[in-house]
Amino acid sequence: KNKKMSTKNLFVNWQNRIESIDVNTGIRYIKHNKFGDQTVYNLQAAKHLNSIIKLTTSHGTAFKTPTLKNLHGWNFTNDGANNGGGGNFSLRPETSQNTEVGIESRYDWGTADIRFYSNKVNDAIDWEGAGYININKLSTKGVELSVNTNLSGYDINFTHNHNKSIIKD
């Protein structure tokens, strides 16, 4: 028996600079044959304080369906039975909300930025024991520091993340 899923998406994005503020927003309509219809969006803005410093912010939502491997495991059978290959037919899609604020700096030697973020995921898909499961609620908050430069034609990038994740049932 063939295993397949399909999705159709309609995506619209708009971006513009209004004086010293860059605006970017988008919306996506998702029609999934197994998991139904969903609409997700993103909103982003960046304020240029001067030629060196830029403040950034973003907020968005996401929708991630289980994969065929998540649902059926890695040992597909012709009758569609779950044969212990890790699949879980009762998985639900992940939904999430993500928010980020940051500051970016440009210098002659490269760029540096710091971002603070918060992500909240419902029904996160995870591996536990011998198969995939949904985690009721997952919350992650953190800070990311990045420094990028180019030395003698080589791009050098450093990124450090510090975050705290909490699973809530």
Side-chain angles (χ1 to χ4, degrees), residues 110-132:
T111 62
D113 62 77
I114 187 167
R115 299 178 193 280
F116 299 89
Y117 57 88
S118 173
N119 303 320
K120 294 179 183 176
V121 182
N122 293 316
D123 294 322
I125 298 170
D126 197 11
W127 178 267
E128 182 176 86
Y132 292 99

Short mmCIF file of all heavy atoms in Angstrom, two decimals, residues 110-132:
data_model
loop_
_atom_site.label_atom_id
_atom_site.label_comp_id
_atom_site.label_asym_id
_atom_site.label_seq_id
_atom_site.Cartn_x
_atom_site.Cartn_y
_atom_site.Cartn_z
N GLY A 110 33.20 43.84 10.44
CA GLY A 110 32.14 42.84 10.32
C GLY A 110 30.89 43.26 11.08
O GLY A 110 30.62 44.45 11.24
N THR A 111 30.14 42.26 11.57
CA THR A 111 28.89 42.54 12.28
C THR A 111 28.85 41.82 13.62
O THR A 111 29.52 40.80 13.81
CB THR A 111 27.66 42.10 11.46
OG1 THR A 111 27.74 40.67 11.26
CG2 THR A 111 27.58 42.81 10.13
N ALA A 112 28.06 42.37 14.52
CA ALA A 112 27.79 41.74 15.82
C ALA A 112 26.32 41.96 16.13
O ALA A 112 25.77 43.01 15.84
CB ALA A 112 28.66 42.35 16.91
N ASP A 113 25.68 40.94 16.69
CA ASP A 113 24.29 41.13 17.09
C ASP A 113 23.94 40.27 18.28
O ASP A 113 24.60 39.27 18.58
CB ASP A 113 23.32 40.88 15.93
CG ASP A 113 23.36 39.49 15.37
OD1 ASP A 113 22.80 38.59 16.01
OD2 ASP A 113 23.93 39.30 14.28
N ILE A 114 22.91 40.70 18.97
CA ILE A 114 22.37 39.96 20.11
C ILE A 114 20.86 39.92 19.94
O ILE A 114 20.24 40.91 19.55
CB ILE A 114 22.79 40.59 21.46
CG1 ILE A 114 22.36 39.70 22.62
CG2 ILE A 114 22.29 42.01 21.59
CD1 ILE A 114 22.99 40.08 23.95
N ARG A 115 20.29 38.75 20.18
CA ARG A 115 18.85 38.55 20.02
C ARG A 115 18.29 37.81 21.23
O ARG A 115 18.91 36.87 21.72
CB ARG A 115 18.55 37.73 18.77
CG ARG A 115 19.03 38.36 17.50
CD ARG A 115 18.76 37.47 16.30
NE ARG A 115 19.48 37.92 15.13
CZ ARG A 115 19.11 38.91 14.35
NH1 ARG A 115 18.02 39.57 14.62
NH2 ARG A 115 19.82 39.27 13.30
N PHE A 116 17.13 38.24 21.65
CA PHE A 116 16.41 37.57 22.72
C PHE A 116 15.17 36.94 22.08
O PHE A 116 14.50 37.58 21.27
CB PHE A 116 15.99 38.57 23.80
CG PHE A 116 17.16 39.25 24.45
CD1 PHE A 116 17.67 40.43 23.92
CD2 PHE A 116 17.76 38.70 25.56
CE1 PHE A 116 18.76 41.05 24.50
CE2 PHE A 116 18.85 39.32 26.15
CZ PHE A 116 19.36 40.50 25.62
N TYR A 117 14.88 35.68 22.43
CA TYR A 117 13.79 34.99 21.77
C TYR A 117 12.95 34.18 22.74
O TYR A 117 13.42 33.80 23.82
CB TYR A 117 14.29 34.11 20.63
CG TYR A 117 15.31 33.08 21.06
CD1 TYR A 117 14.92 31.82 21.51
CD2 TYR A 117 16.67 33.36 21.00
CE1 TYR A 117 15.86 30.88 21.89
CE2 TYR A 117 17.62 32.43 21.38
CZ TYR A 117 17.20 31.19 21.83
OH TYR A 117 18.14 30.26 22.21
N SER A 118 11.72 33.94 22.34
CA SER A 118 10.78 33.11 23.10
C SER A 118 9.98 32.29 22.09
O SER A 118 9.40 32.85 21.16
CB SER A 118 9.85 34.00 23.93
OG SER A 118 8.84 33.20 24.52
N ASN A 119 9.97 30.99 22.26
CA ASN A 119 9.24 30.08 21.38
C ASN A 119 8.31 29.21 22.23
O ASN A 119 8.74 28.64 23.23
CB ASN A 119 10.21 29.16 20.61
CG ASN A 119 11.21 29.94 19.81
OD1 ASN A 119 10.87 30.94 19.21
ND2 ASN A 119 12.44 29.48 19.79
N LYS A 120 7.06 29.12 21.81
CA LYS A 120 6.09 28.27 22.49
C LYS A 120 5.52 27.30 21.46
O LYS A 120 4.97 27.72 20.45
CB LYS A 120 4.98 29.12 23.10
CG LYS A 120 5.48 30.00 24.20
CD LYS A 120 4.40 30.86 24.79
CE LYS A 120 5.03 31.76 25.85
NZ LYS A 120 4.08 32.70 26.41
N VAL A 121 5.68 25.99 21.73
CA VAL A 121 5.26 24.95 20.80
C VAL A 121 4.20 24.08 21.47
O VAL A 121 4.38 23.63 22.60
CB VAL A 121 6.45 24.06 20.37
CG1 VAL A 121 6.01 23.01 19.36
CG2 VAL A 121 7.60 24.90 19.84
N ASN A 122 3.09 23.87 20.77
CA ASN A 122 2.06 22.93 21.22
C ASN A 122 2.18 21.66 20.39
O ASN A 122 2.40 21.72 19.19
CB ASN A 122 0.66 23.52 21.04
CG ASN A 122 0.42 24.69 21.97
OD1 ASN A 122 0.76 24.64 23.14
ND2 ASN A 122 -0.15 25.75 21.44
N ASP A 123 2.04 20.51 21.05
CA ASP A 123 2.10 19.20 20.40
C ASP A 123 3.43 18.96 19.67
O ASP A 123 3.45 18.40 18.56
CB ASP A 123 0.92 19.02 19.42
CG ASP A 123 -0.41 18.97 20.14
OD1 ASP A 123 -0.46 18.37 21.23
OD2 ASP A 123 -1.39 19.53 19.62
N ALA A 124 4.52 19.36 20.29
CA ALA A 124 5.85 19.14 19.69
C ALA A 124 6.05 17.64 19.44
O ALA A 124 5.70 16.81 20.27
CB ALA A 124 6.94 19.67 20.61
N ILE A 125 6.61 17.31 18.28
CA ILE A 125 6.88 15.92 17.93
C ILE A 125 8.28 15.57 18.41
O ILE A 125 9.24 16.27 18.10
CB ILE A 125 6.73 15.71 16.41
CG1 ILE A 125 5.30 16.00 15.98
CG2 ILE A 125 7.15 14.28 16.02
CD1 ILE A 125 5.09 16.05 14.47
N ASP A 126 8.36 14.49 19.20
CA ASP A 126 9.64 14.10 19.79
C ASP A 126 9.74 12.57 19.78
O ASP A 126 8.76 11.87 19.56
CB ASP A 126 9.72 14.64 21.22
CG ASP A 126 11.13 14.64 21.78
OD1 ASP A 126 12.10 14.42 21.01
OD2 ASP A 126 11.29 14.88 22.98
N TRP A 127 10.93 12.08 20.02
CA TRP A 127 11.18 10.65 20.10
C TRP A 127 11.27 10.27 21.58
O TRP A 127 11.97 10.92 22.35
CB TRP A 127 12.49 10.32 19.40
CG TRP A 127 12.86 8.87 19.48
CD1 TRP A 127 13.64 8.27 20.41
CD2 TRP A 127 12.42 7.85 18.59
NE1 TRP A 127 13.74 6.93 20.17
CE2 TRP A 127 12.99 6.64 19.05
CE3 TRP A 127 11.62 7.83 17.48
CZ2 TRP A 127 12.78 5.43 18.41
CZ3 TRP A 127 11.41 6.62 16.84
CH2 TRP A 127 11.98 5.43 17.30
N GLU A 128 10.54 9.23 21.96
CA GLU A 128 10.63 8.75 23.33
C GLU A 128 10.59 7.23 23.32
O GLU A 128 9.64 6.64 22.78
CB GLU A 128 9.47 9.30 24.17
CG GLU A 128 9.55 8.85 25.63
CD GLU A 128 8.46 9.47 26.47
OE1 GLU A 128 7.35 8.88 26.51
OE2 GLU A 128 8.70 10.52 27.07
N GLY A 129 11.60 6.63 23.91
CA GLY A 129 11.65 5.18 23.98
C GLY A 129 11.76 4.54 22.62
O GLY A 129 12.79 4.56 21.98
N ALA A 130 10.63 3.99 22.13
CA ALA A 130 10.65 3.26 20.86
C ALA A 130 9.79 3.91 19.79
O ALA A 130 9.44 3.28 18.81
CB ALA A 130 10.18 1.83 21.09
N GLY A 131 9.43 5.19 19.99
CA GLY A 131 8.58 5.79 18.96
C GLY A 131 8.38 7.29 19.14
O GLY A 131 8.82 7.89 20.12
N TYR A 132 7.69 7.87 18.18
CA TYR A 132 7.40 9.29 18.18
C TYR A 132 6.17 9.58 19.04
O TYR A 132 5.23 8.79 19.06
CB TYR A 132 7.16 9.80 16.75
CG TYR A 132 8.40 9.76 15.90
CD1 TYR A 132 8.62 8.71 15.02
CD2 TYR A 132 9.37 10.76 16.00
CE1 TYR A 132 9.76 8.66 14.24
CE2 TYR A 132 10.51 10.71 15.22
CZ TYR A 132 10.70 9.66 14.35
OH TYR A 132 11.83 9.61 13.58
#
